[in-house]
Amino acid sequence: MSANFRYIFLTTLLTLLLPAFSACTATAPETGTKSDAPTGEKVIGFGQTVNLEDHLVKGKTVIFDFFSQYCPPCRRISPLLTKLAEKRSDIVVVKVDINRKDVTGIDWSSPVAQQFQLQGIPHFKIYSPEGKLKAEGDAAYEQVINLLKQENIQ
């Protein structure tokens, strides 16, 4: 599945699922920190390289969500991931902000975007409770969508 098709598919799906969020503006919210992230998730990166293994939680499935505050599909799926993390005690969401603080727009040149060779966002990596990479990219995206459907999170 191409990144362009995935972007269009995600945008269409989320617009259908979340009509209240379709009115999002292009103005970016303040960049969050670890301490003000919603329950069950934390934010790392802020454009800098990261070691994902440092953020794994033994005994829990960890979903890494690579995002930018300037990405409408990222902003639409974010509250759904928060609900998933709140509803499922066996899942932790770690948001990887690809933007450096001084960059406006999606920061494709950031060290973390380069580190993981990101070509599209949102981009997911899912690790098993044993700390093994289970899925990434399109396969991880499909698993996230299936988890949301299973939990009836819209």
Side-chain angles (χ1 to χ4, degrees):
M1 184 182 306
S2 75
N4 189 34
F5 177 78
R6 190 173 90 198
Y7 173 82
I8 292 168
F9 177 77
L10 178 62
T11 302
T12 303
L13 178 67
L14 291 176
T15 300
L16 292 172
L17 292 174
L18 297 169
F21 288 98
S22 63
C24 289
T25 66
T27 304
E30 288 292 316
T31 302
T33 63
K34 290 181 187 178
S35 62
D36 65 8
T39 304
E41 66 180 30
K42 64 180 175 177
V43 181
I44 63 172
F46 303 101
Q48 303 309 309
T49 59
V50 296
N51 183 357
L52 299 183
E53 288 76 20
D54 291 345
H55 302 281
L56 295 175
V57 179
K58 188 175 180 177
K60 296 190 185 249
T61 297
V62 179
I63 300 171
F64 289 96
D65 170 23
F66 293 81
F67 80 101
S68 168
Q69 62 191 352
Y70 298 97
C71 164
C74 298
R75 292 190 353 234
R76 288 185 191 115
I77 202 164
S78 182
L80 302 178
L81 293 171
T82 299
K83 288 179 185 176
L84 180 65
E86 290 172 347
K87 193 169 189 177
R88 294 276 303 265
S89 62
D90 62 323
I91 294 176
V92 173
V93 174
V94 178
K95 299 179 71 56
V96 183
D97 186 347
I98 72 166
N99 269 70
R100 292 168 286 185
K101 289 183 181 184
D102 59 338
V103 176
T104 302
I106 299 174
D107 191 359
W108 297 113
S109 300
S110 72
V112 72
Q114 297 298 305
Q115 176 186 5
F116 292 99
Q117 300 174 352
L118 298 178
Q119 296 180 351
I121 53 173
H123 180 86
F124 302 103
K125 286 183 174 269
I126 302 175
Y127 283 79
S128 71
E130 296 77 33
K132 303 288 183 200
L133 181 62
K134 261 178 40 174
E136 65 180 306
D138 293 338
Y141 168 80
E142 294 299 326
Q143 287 185 26
V144 167
I145 295 300
N146 287 334
L147 284 167
L148 294 171
K149 285 180 185 175
Q150 286 172 10
E151 296 301 327
N152 198 29
I153 296 173
Q154 300 182 26

